[in-house]
Amino acid sequence: MENYNDLEQMRQEIVSLREKLDRQVIINEEHVRRSMYDKVRNIRFQTAVLAAIGIVGTVFCHWIFCEYLGLSLILAIATDIFLVAAVVYSILSIRKLHPQDMMNENLIMAGKEIARMKKRGIAWKKVAFPFLAVWFIWVVVEAMNSSLEEETLIGFLTGCGLGLAGGIICGAIHDRKQTAMIDSLLQQIDEFAK
């Protein structure tokens, strides 16, 4: 009889431990999903901020090239097109990515969209970096052939060079962080899919 009571008590303890473990798994899953939700929300926020900077940059560059420095309208328009394309491409890359998707059951589709976003980013870099190299040479040639005073010319070219270098460095840092976030999201989604 005593053995029966001991067995019954052990069975109840096992049931209790299983319930605790199930609650722990649910809490862990909710924590991971909340983390994924926050990462997607962060990616969308950063993209919105960069898009706003791109729009302001487009207006500023157009004004500085055409009105202030008197450089060619073609250079200003090429710069405008590049910056607007960057903004549009960024927004299109995240348009189907929503933080709420991380809380829903359909993580596989969200994972596919995140993977597409990563591929789009790589494709954009293949276009952007060569364009920026050609663009900078174009700016230097136009500025050198313009009627700018030497002091203004040196200041402008130094500012352009530093701005381009700073933009590339900041972009690389941002890209590295965002790529790590994307890889982390894809890994977490993959773990849920198992």
Side-chain angles (χ1 to χ4, degrees):
M1 190 70 148
E2 191 174 308
N3 284 340
Y4 178 76
N5 289 338
D6 287 343
L7 285 174
E8 184 61 29
Q9 184 179 1
M10 287 176 64
R11 188 185 69 74
Q12 288 174 353
E13 286 176 7
I14 290 173
V15 168
S16 175
L17 286 172
R18 280 189 180 156
E19 288 173 359
K20 286 180 184 178
L21 183 60
D22 288 343
R23 282 194 302 268
Q24 183 74 24
V25 168
I26 290 170
I27 290 170
N28 283 342
E29 182 178 333
E30 288 174 7
H31 178 71
V32 170
R33 283 182 179 265
R34 175 59 61 186
S35 170
M36 292 165 53
Y37 174 91
D38 290 341
K39 287 175 186 175
V40 170
R41 200 175 79 200
N42 193 9
I43 288 170
R44 289 184 61 85
F45 175 75
Q46 289 175 357
T47 301
V49 168
L50 291 175
I53 291 170
I55 291 168
V56 170
T58 301
V59 173
F60 177 75
C61 286
H62 190 87
W63 174 79
I64 202 89
F65 286 171
C66 290
E67 303 298 322
Y68 186 73
L69 297 173
L71 300 179
S72 74
L73 182 62
I74 295 172
L75 174 61
I77 290 172
T79 304
D80 295 345
I81 289 170
F82 175 76
L83 291 172
V84 168
V87 168
V88 169
Y89 197 76
S90 295
I91 291 170
L92 290 177
S93 290
I94 63 160
R95 78 180 188 281
K96 292 183 180 178
L97 185 62
H98 304 287
Q100 300 84 356
D101 293 343
M102 300 301 109
M103 304 306 275
N104 297 335
E105 293 301 316
N106 200 357
L107 282 177
I108 302 299
M109 292 303 291
K112 287 179 182 178
E113 192 56 39
I114 292 168
R116 281 188 207 110
M117 184 180 81
K118 183 177 178 178
K119 286 180 185 177
R120 290 179 194 128
I122 293 168
W124 174 254
K125 286 179 219 146
K126 289 178 182 178
V127 172
F129 287 127
F131 175 83
L132 288 173
V134 171
W135 175 84
F136 186 69
I137 293 168
W138 188 2
V139 168
V140 169
V141 168
E142 280 221 15
M144 298 291 275
N145 292 330
S146 70
S147 59
L148 294 173
E149 294 178 12
E150 186 175 338
E151 196 173 290
T152 304
L153 176 67
I154 291 171
F156 171 68
L157 291 179
T158 301
C160 267
L162 291 175
L164 184 61
I168 289 172
I169 290 168
C170 289
I173 291 168
H174 173 266
D175 186 57
R176 175 178 272 165
K177 287 179 181 179
Q178 191 172 48
T179 299
M181 224 183 306
I182 289 169
D183 289 343
S184 171
L185 278 167
L186 291 172
Q187 182 181 5
Q188 288 172 327
I189 289 170
D190 190 44
E191 287 173 8
F192 271 109
K194 290 179 182 179

